[in-house]
């Protein structure tokens, strides 16, 4: 374990990050030999290892070095915000006032804009053997967003082999807030050569959000029933891959799936991912209304820990509010907008069985 941690530190904390200082790396371990490592840059979940058959299996994708981490646009393991996924043309209105935030993905704003939360240095405010708490102050006007926003993210590794992520945020002006973690999973192992498409997935979601070519939801909530988006029962991801125009537009799965409201209580299984050889199962429990299931369609050529990644070398399951929510008044749930005085509070748990 110690050697593994030392290698991780060597990779990520030898050279300086965006602000000229080196990253701070934090390791958590549990009673069963599972580990989870984090860094203060982006409050990033860097590594997750499971002890399987006497080996340490890394189930997260990441960059090989800090220098590469700073160049990638995969958002490996980072907390993304203020607004996860896209806001069309980076424009929205709150309280009758229009705002323009940074454009960094075609015509649109992605994951908080040019210098999103993934690129910021967070403060470690608490830590113990099984928990670390990161905090970030995003000042009024940061990336064009209104209000001073204070965010807290708590990672806990439990002895039930769960990695729990609790999110909290407050603002002094009404502002879109949609936080998630952008971990990429490969339950066969980061270096295994297995693909996202080889995994089995179950999503307790009966609607999905089709997108336009810029990956902005069209506004329609489409029933999954009878389509390749139906993951109500566990299905191999590759089984109906790219078979329909809504997938072809996105180069695969890269869509928000709307959970059945009854599974968003934080204790029900909202999503289940099963390793190709069925030796690892990961269950996702969450209080958030949707999940962006992204099959790794833009990964090709991105330098990774064990190799240069190719298409579908990992997949992301990002619990969140709906992409472009602030521009879709018909969707409800405050459209992903946090009022001043209210508290944004959510939790997602990734529970591993192996
Ligand atoms: C995902 C998004 C993808 C891609 C990826 C980062 O959350 O859905 O379209 O932008 O982030 O490479």
């Amino acid at each position: 374990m110690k050697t593994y941690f030392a290698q991780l530190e060597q990779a990520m904390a030898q050279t300086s990050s965006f602000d000229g200082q080196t990253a701070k790396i934090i390791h958590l371990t549990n009673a069963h030999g599972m580990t989870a490592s984090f860094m203060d840059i982006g409050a990033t979940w860097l590594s997750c290892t499971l002890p399987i058959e006497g080996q340490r299996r890394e189930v997260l994708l990441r960059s090989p070095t800090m220098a590469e981490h700073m160049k990638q646009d995969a958002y490996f393991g980072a907390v993304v915000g203020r607004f996860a996924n896209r806001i069309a043309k980076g424009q929205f209105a709150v309280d009758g006032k229009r705002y323009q935030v940074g454009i960094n993905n075609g015509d649109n704003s992605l994951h908080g804009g040019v210098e999103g939360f993934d690129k910021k240095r967070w403060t470690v405010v608490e830590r113990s053997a099984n928990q670390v708490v990161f905090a970030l102050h995003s000042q009024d006007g940061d990336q064009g967003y209104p209000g001073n926003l204070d965010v807290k993210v708590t990672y806990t590794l439990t002895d039930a082999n769960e990695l729990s992520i609790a999110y909290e945020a407050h603002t002094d002006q009404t502002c879109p807030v949609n936080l998630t973690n952008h971990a990429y999973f490969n339950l066969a192992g980061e270096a295994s050569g297995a693909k996202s498409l080889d995994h089995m997935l179950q999503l307790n979601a009966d609607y999905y959000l089709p997108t336009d070519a810029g990956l902005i939801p069209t506004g329609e909530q489409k029933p999954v029933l009878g389509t390749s988006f139906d993951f109500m029962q566990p299905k191999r991801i590759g089984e109906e891959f790219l078979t329909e125009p809504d997938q072809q537009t996105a180069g695969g799965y890269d869509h928000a799936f709307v959970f059945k409201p009854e599974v968003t209580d934080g204790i029900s299984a909202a999503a289940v991912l099963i390793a190709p050889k069925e030796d690892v199962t990961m269950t996702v429990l969450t209080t958030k209304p949707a999940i962006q299931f992204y099959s790794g369609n833009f990964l090709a050529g991105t330098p990774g820990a064990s190799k240069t990644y190719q298409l579908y070398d990992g997949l992301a399951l990002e619990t969140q509010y709906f992409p472009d929510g602030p521009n879709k008044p018909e969707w409800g749930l405050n459209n992903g907008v946090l009022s001043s005085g209210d508290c944004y509070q959510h939790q997602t748990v990734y529970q591993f069985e192996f």
Side-chain angles (χ1 to χ4, degrees):
M1 205 180 285
K2 279 212 172 108
T3 326
Y4 193 78
F5 290 166
Q7 283 167 358
L8 201 55
E9 280 163 34
Q10 173 91 13
M12 303 310 291
Q14 279 292 96
T15 60
S16 52
S17 191
F18 299 104
D19 59 359
Q21 307 289 314
T22 54
K24 190 183 269 180
I25 315 285
I26 286 122
H27 308 287
L28 308 181
T29 52
N30 79 358
H32 305 293
M34 180 176 162
T35 72
S37 302
F38 304 88
M39 68 175 171
D40 57 350
I41 306 300
T44 300
W45 185 13
L46 268 183
S47 160
C48 180
T49 75
L50 312 177
I52 296 177
E53 290 167 358
Q55 306 273 314
R56 182 155 299 290
R57 184 182 296 181
E58 173 62 77
V59 295
L60 294 192
L61 270 54
R62 68 166 183 275
S63 300
T65 59
M66 175 51 81
E68 292 298 348
H69 181 83
M70 287 161 66
K71 285 189 231 158
Q72 48 91 28
D73 54 11
Y75 296 83
F76 291 126
V79 170
V80 296
R82 294 187 189 191
F83 201 90
N85 209 282
R86 293 172 178 80
I87 294 185
K89 301 196 164 51
Q91 295 175 358
F92 57 85
V94 281
D95 293 342
K97 196 170 162 204
R98 285 205 72 75
Y99 291 91
Q100 174 73 59
V101 297
I103 305 294
N104 59 340
N105 186 257
D107 294 337
N108 304 316
S109 185
L110 175 68
H111 296 328
V114 179
E115 196 194 310
F117 291 177
D118 59 294
K119 296 186 181 60
K120 311 258 192 202
R121 184 180 295 272
W122 294 56
T123 308
V124 177
V125 288
E126 272 175 60
R127 77 146 300 182
S128 64
N130 71 340
Q131 190 171 75
V132 56
V133 184
F134 292 101
L136 181 72
H137 175 76
S138 167
Q139 77 282 8
D140 183 17
D142 186 11
Q143 310 308 304
Y145 284 96
N148 287 292
L149 186 76
D150 283 290
V151 186
K152 217 165 88 173
V153 171
T154 304
Y155 290 106
T156 311
L157 176 62
T158 74
D159 285 340
N161 297 329
E162 300 159 325
L163 193 281
S164 134
I165 313 177
Y167 302 85
E168 222 182 274
H170 303 266
T171 174
D172 61 3
Q173 278 183 58
T174 301
C175 173
V177 177
N178 185 21
L179 305 172
T180 191
N181 179 282
H182 209 304
Y184 287 73
F185 300 96
N186 187 323
L187 299 184
E190 184 268 338
S192 67
K195 296 286 184 185
S196 60
L197 308 188
D198 305 326
H199 290 65
M200 304 267 288
L201 180 66
Q202 181 178 15
L203 297 173
N204 285 320
D206 34 22
Y207 293 92
Y208 74 101
L209 308 183
T211 66
D212 65 17
L215 301 182
I216 298 294
T218 58
E220 185 187 1
Q221 297 198 27
K222 225 167 160 174
V224 299
L225 199 69
T227 76
S228 61
F229 292 82
D230 188 349
F231 285 92
M232 293 291 282
Q233 300 302 319
K235 182 171 78 182
R236 203 173 62 82
I237 293 169
E239 193 172 313
E240 297 176 298
F241 196 64
L242 289 173
T243 54
E244 289 181 308
D246 281 348
Q247 277 196 64
Q248 289 152 9
T249 307
Y253 294 107
D254 192 355
H255 299 80
F257 286 71
V258 183
F259 285 132
K260 288 167 169 286
E262 62 267 27
V263 304
T264 62
D265 55 3
I267 51 174
S268 301
V272 181
L273 182 69
I274 303 169
K277 291 192 176 146
E278 300 186 14
D279 52 355
V280 180
T281 298
M282 184 182 83
T283 304
V284 184
L285 322 171
T286 191
T287 56
K288 298 188 199 170
I291 194 163
Q292 182 79 11
F293 162 39
Y294 167 54
S295 50
N297 317 328
F298 298 118
L299 275 177
T302 309
S306 67
K307 59 187 167 190
T308 297
Y309 295 132
Q310 298 307 325
L311 281 180
Y312 328 128
D313 271 348
L315 65 121
L317 289 170
E318 307 151 62
T319 55
Q320 56 186 246
Y321 182 71
F322 313 156
D324 200 34
N327 292 312
K328 304 284 195 295
E330 65 278 19
W331 280 347
L333 295 168
N334 300 324
N335 296 98
V337 173
L338 178 68
S339 301
S340 64
D342 283 356
C343 180
Y344 175 97
Q345 214 166 14
H346 278 290
Q347 185 172 328
T348 294
V349 175
Y350 296 96
Q351 184 182 70
F352 295 86
E353 281 169 78
F354 49 90

